[in-house]
Amino acid sequence: MADAQITLAYSRNTGVVAIATGEQYKSAERALNDAGFRRGESGVYRVTHADEAAARGALAHLAQRAEARGIQVTVSTLRFIGDAAQDIARCLPGPWETQVEIYSHPVWQEDLVPYLWDSGELARVVRTHRIPYAATLTDPVSGATLLLAERPGHQLGYLVGAFAPDPFGDGFGDPYAPRSVTLPPFPGRAAQVIIQRYLPAYDRAVHERRIAQVAEALDLIQSEWDSWKQLRIATEPGGALGAESPVFTTAADGFLDKAWREFLTVLDHAPALLDQCRPATSLWPQDAEVLDQLAAALLTAQQVREDLSRGVPLARVEHHAQNRAGHRDLACPQPPVSAPGPRCLPSPTPHCRPSSAAPPAPARPGTPPLTAPDS
């Protein structure tokens, strides 16, 4: 592969667009500038000429410049990735925000690997194939961010996966990560695959990961608690260490500090899990009291966290007292945590059609030939 590449695609709003990539992508950008292309949003280059003849001339000039400089020019068989993402987003339930991402230098693509939360084809492709650009679809309500990329080696079709949700951290190698799915090139059908197959799997994976992280944090707190209890017994009158040993005070402070760090993980994930356990929809209404105790403990601890983050002075003894209250309540019997329910499916409304506000697509230049976008 050449050190500099230019990928041409067709956008219904702006006509021919170009993306410069490769280790020497700057050379490709200079060729685009010389040919009359101008850099736009997200680093996508567009022809500045409005009439068809001038646009055709810009493409011919680009071909000459690229050949002289050893720059490889290819034409995507799919519609511009930004248009595809917007069309799919309009067919998904709720408002989804889209953004084009360009990985001009291969190293930029490598930066995706730690954050991609996927156990399927997309994760493998990102590690083994060159993906010069992609698009994200973000649900502002849930915070889910999907990655849409063209499927290498296939003239028609996309791959969609997800980034690790906050506050999961890195997603690489996570056993709970969902599997990416392949999408057809038609927005409505692609959205249905996401709605019916991918989002349910994604929501289950988030739910199971939350349970695992909360359970791990509580196990660590319990282990620290057991060790501290043994030390407390040893410092009681007649114990091995005797009463009022400074070892006890130091150990108590250490236990509370360690427990608080682990409890922050519980604060991150437990509220969402409790939302799945409301008594109104639970088969175990007797757990209402336990849920109330857990919710109260989380609210108390969350207030402590907010006070500390704002720099509000909080006496160490008060911090520890509230911390103890939270841990005491969490020692209650664990209520059943149900699986997440299905997302609301979109109704057949006009939001699944291209926006009427979009201007009509300009006539395509004849050179080089581009595949017409799917309607």
Side-chain angles (χ1 to χ4, degrees):
M1 181 178 290
D3 292 336
Q5 303 96 39
I6 295 175
T7 302
L8 300 176
Y10 182 79
S11 171
R12 63 168 173 267
N13 294 333
T14 57
V16 177
V17 297
I19 299 172
T21 58
E23 293 184 358
Q24 302 298 325
Y25 70 93
K26 288 292 185 181
S27 175
E29 290 182 339
R30 287 192 293 271
L32 287 168
N33 286 320
D34 292 345
F37 286 73
R38 291 297 176 263
R39 182 184 174 95
E41 184 180 0
S42 301
V44 179
Y45 282 79
R46 294 171 171 82
V47 180
T48 57
H49 305 294
D51 61 284
E52 181 177 349
R56 185 183 295 112
L59 287 172
H61 190 189
L62 175 63
Q64 295 173 358
R65 292 280 182 173
E67 182 178 3
R69 301 179 186 181
I71 300 171
Q72 179 183 9
V73 179
T74 60
V75 179
S76 175
T77 58
L78 293 168
R79 70 175 70 211
F80 174 51
I81 192 74
D83 290 354
Q86 290 177 2
D87 291 344
I88 293 173
R90 276 191 282 267
C91 297
L92 295 176
W96 286 72
E97 302 167 354
T98 64
Q99 178 67 45
V100 174
E101 292 198 347
I102 297 178
Y103 317 117
S104 293
H105 197 284
V107 172
W108 302 353
Q109 178 183 330
E110 295 173 8
D111 293 339
L112 287 175
V113 174
Y115 302 103
L116 196 59
W117 197 47
D118 183 64
S119 59
E121 183 178 357
L122 181 60
R124 178 184 60 79
V125 164
V126 168
R127 295 195 304 270
T128 59
H129 290 68
R130 183 72 174 104
I131 299 180
Y133 53 84
T136 59
L137 296 88
T138 301
D139 177 8
V141 177
S142 68
T145 298
L146 310 183
L147 185 70
L148 179 73
E150 295 180 3
R151 193 180 184 194
H154 297 75
Q155 293 186 342
L156 296 177
Y158 300 93
L159 290 169
V160 69
F163 289 107
D166 291 335
F168 285 0
D170 293 353
F172 179 74
D174 182 5
Y176 295 95
R179 295 182 63 85
S180 52
V181 296
T182 58
L183 302 179
F186 310 106
R189 298 181 190 174
Q192 286 301 312
V193 172
I194 293 175
I195 293 167
Q196 296 173 3
R197 290 178 51 196
Y198 187 76
L199 287 180
Y202 173 89
D203 290 338
R204 285 194 301 271
V206 170
H207 187 73
E208 292 170 0
R209 172 75 181 269
R210 288 189 185 279
I211 291 176
Q213 291 204 246
V214 169
E216 181 181 359
L218 293 179
D219 285 345
L220 291 172
I221 292 174
Q222 184 65 52
S223 177
E224 293 289 339
W225 170 258
D226 291 340
S227 298
W228 183 74
K229 282 196 303 183
Q230 294 299 321
L231 182 60
R232 184 178 62 181
I233 293 173
T235 57
E236 290 178 348
L241 298 178
E244 298 183 357
S245 170
V247 175
F248 173 78
T249 303
T250 302
D253 288 344
F255 159 70
L256 290 170
D257 287 339
K258 293 177 183 177
W260 175 251
R261 287 195 296 269
E262 295 298 334
F263 193 67
L264 292 178
T265 298
V266 179
L267 283 180
D268 287 334
H269 301 292
L273 294 176
L274 288 179
D275 286 342
Q276 303 293 330
C277 307
R278 293 298 90 192
T281 60
S282 175
L283 298 177
W284 299 272
Q286 65 273 18
D287 288 334
E289 182 179 355
V290 174
L291 291 172
D292 290 341
Q293 291 174 343
L294 290 170
L298 292 173
L299 285 174
T300 298
Q302 185 61 41
Q303 186 61 53
V304 173
R305 172 195 254 181
E306 293 176 0
D307 289 343
L308 293 174
S309 66
R310 294 197 307 267
V312 176
L314 189 64
R316 188 173 182 82
V317 64
E318 180 183 356
H319 183 183
H320 285 180
Q322 296 189 41
N323 203 2
R324 287 191 186 97
H327 297 151
R328 180 195 65 223
D329 289 342
L330 280 173
C332 295
Q334 181 179 351
V337 181
S338 60
R343 296 193 181 208
C344 296
L345 296 180
S347 57
T349 57
H351 81 285
C352 194
R353 299 196 297 267
S355 172
S356 59
R364 292 181 295 131
T367 305
L370 296 177
T371 302
D374 300 305
S375 57

